[in-house]
Amino acid sequence: MAISAKDVMELRKQTDCGMMECKKALTQADGDFAKAIEILREQGLATATKKAGRIAAEGMVYAVSYPNCAVVVEVNAETDFVAKNDKFVEFTKNLADVIAESNPADVDALMGCKMGEGTVDDALKALILVIKENIKVRRFARYEGHCAAYVHGGGTHGVIVKFDTSDEVAAKEGFAAFGKDIAMQVAAANPSYLNEAAVPASVIDKEKEIILAQMANDPKTANKPDAIKEKMAIGKLGKFYKENCLVDQAFIKDGNMDVNKYVAATAKELGGDIKIVEYTHFIKGEGLEKRNEDFAAEVAAAIKG
């Protein structure tokens, strides 16, 4: 099948591989992106793909913790200028308050919640009339209990984290700073899973398959017995966990310990038990990429050349 320059550009952005390698992989995979990425990884040319494509949509993400819950919400707009508009920022922050108080089931339910003298939908339409851009409430998450929140880059990243701990521990000096540290860890390292148990078996199987394929393509390991390769693959999965599981990642503020050890040390210091239950990380415009047509033309020219 014909492979377009845009498809090559997209695969290049996701894998950081060369244009010709991306074109060959897409051709071999009959245009299947997931299969093309596997091919590149098996050849040792690409690292594991991230959960989302490059960020290009505008607007902002806002995260905030309250005494009994935490909320993260994303509101999109057409230009980055809008994200700096006071009325847009005020609407987004007020929206978080509505979510915290009303606990809507989804975005559709949120639009019917009370905001000011009317509903969220009314307030959104009024904001669109003032700003004169299309504005959309894209998504939100809400946790109840002892939580932390973190906003990075003026709204490019928003994280909320829920903890299982006692009221006494949560009230102690130091817990809030600890919670923010964990939320910042998520924003900085962008883990895909909370822990090893959260990784689906299908993901582990696929990762082992890719590792074994890499060994088969490596002269140093290609001729080793299958049993040895299997043991080596299991060992290499440890690196996968350290990169993709929050509690196994190196702690951003102290590379000599992982997040699990930081949690344990904080729990001991505060005199109780602390467990990370779950987290949500929103990245502004995640999956809503605007294509750069000039770059697409550049790729097309390179392919034809």
Side-chain angles (χ1 to χ4, degrees):
M1 64 176 291
I3 303 300
S4 71
K6 289 183 179 180
D7 287 339
V8 174
M9 177 186 71
E10 180 66 28
L11 185 60
R12 184 187 179 195
K13 288 178 180 178
Q14 291 189 30
T15 62
D16 291 327
C17 290
M19 290 181 288
M20 295 312 298
E21 286 83 0
C22 289
K23 183 184 179 185
K24 289 177 182 177
L26 280 168
T27 301
Q28 186 177 339
D30 291 327
D32 185 318
F33 265 75
K35 182 61 179 176
I37 291 169
E38 283 184 27
I39 291 170
L40 290 170
R41 290 189 64 200
E42 288 172 359
Q43 294 172 351
L45 298 175
T47 56
T49 57
K50 296 179 180 179
K51 292 189 298 184
R54 291 165 61 93
I55 302 162
E58 306 304 339
M60 70 177 289
V61 175
Y62 180 63
V64 58
S65 60
Y66 302 87
N68 65 333
C69 69
V71 170
V72 60
V73 60
E74 178 180 3
V75 182
N76 295 126
E78 294 180 44
T79 65
D80 58 353
F81 179 76
V82 170
K84 303 177 181 67
N85 182 288
D86 290 341
K87 291 186 180 297
F88 179 85
V89 173
E90 181 183 17
F91 170 81
T92 303
K93 291 183 176 181
N94 288 342
L95 191 62
D97 291 340
V98 172
I99 295 167
E101 182 177 349
S102 302
N103 191 20
D106 51 32
V107 172
D108 287 340
L110 171 61
M111 301 309 290
C113 291
K114 181 174 176 56
M115 177 183 267
E117 297 301 315
T119 65
V120 169
D121 189 48
D122 295 331
L124 178 61
K125 289 176 179 176
L127 182 64
I128 292 172
L129 287 174
V130 171
I131 294 182
K132 296 180 173 58
E133 276 197 21
N134 184 29
I135 300 169
K136 182 179 180 180
V137 179
R138 184 186 182 199
R139 54 183 176 170
F140 69 86
R142 180 184 183 277
Y143 295 151
E144 291 189 353
H146 301 302
C147 303
Y150 174 69
V151 179
H152 180 77
T156 58
H157 294 247
V159 177
I160 56 174
V161 186
K162 179 177 179 178
F163 301 95
D164 180 8
T165 191
S166 66
D167 293 342
E168 291 75 18
V169 169
K172 288 185 177 180
E173 183 178 357
F175 183 80
F178 157 78
K180 183 179 179 182
D181 281 346
I182 299 299
M184 288 177 67
Q185 173 81 28
V186 173
N190 195 22
S192 300
Y193 309 98
L194 173 60
N195 51 34
E196 293 181 21
V199 184
S202 59
V203 172
I204 296 301
D205 290 342
K206 178 58 65 176
E207 200 63 27
K208 280 181 61 179
E209 181 183 320
I210 289 170
I211 291 171
L212 289 170
Q214 289 173 343
M215 289 181 184
N217 288 322
D218 186 344
K220 295 179 181 178
T221 55
N223 296 322
K224 289 185 179 295
D226 290 344
I228 298 297
K229 288 181 182 177
E230 181 73 17
K231 289 182 179 179
M232 291 176 67
I234 293 173
K236 286 178 177 290
L237 282 174
K239 181 181 179 183
F240 173 84
Y241 293 133
K242 288 181 181 298
E243 291 176 349
N244 293 278
C245 296
L246 172 59
V247 299
D248 294 321
Q249 289 180 332
F251 180 41
I252 55 172
K253 287 190 171 182
D254 183 353
N256 293 320
M257 67 169 69
D258 59 23
V259 172
N260 244 336
K261 289 182 179 178
Y262 175 58
V263 173
T266 301
K268 183 177 180 180
E269 180 182 337
L270 298 182
D273 295 322
I274 303 174
K275 180 182 178 182
I276 303 172
V277 178
E278 56 185 335
Y279 66 88
T280 293
H281 179 195
F282 285 170
I283 303 173
K284 182 187 72 173
E286 186 175 37
L288 297 177
E289 182 179 357
K290 295 177 183 176
R291 294 184 181 275
N292 184 325
E293 298 302 335
D294 289 338
F295 184 48
E298 175 188 332
V299 176
I303 291 175
K304 290 178 182 178

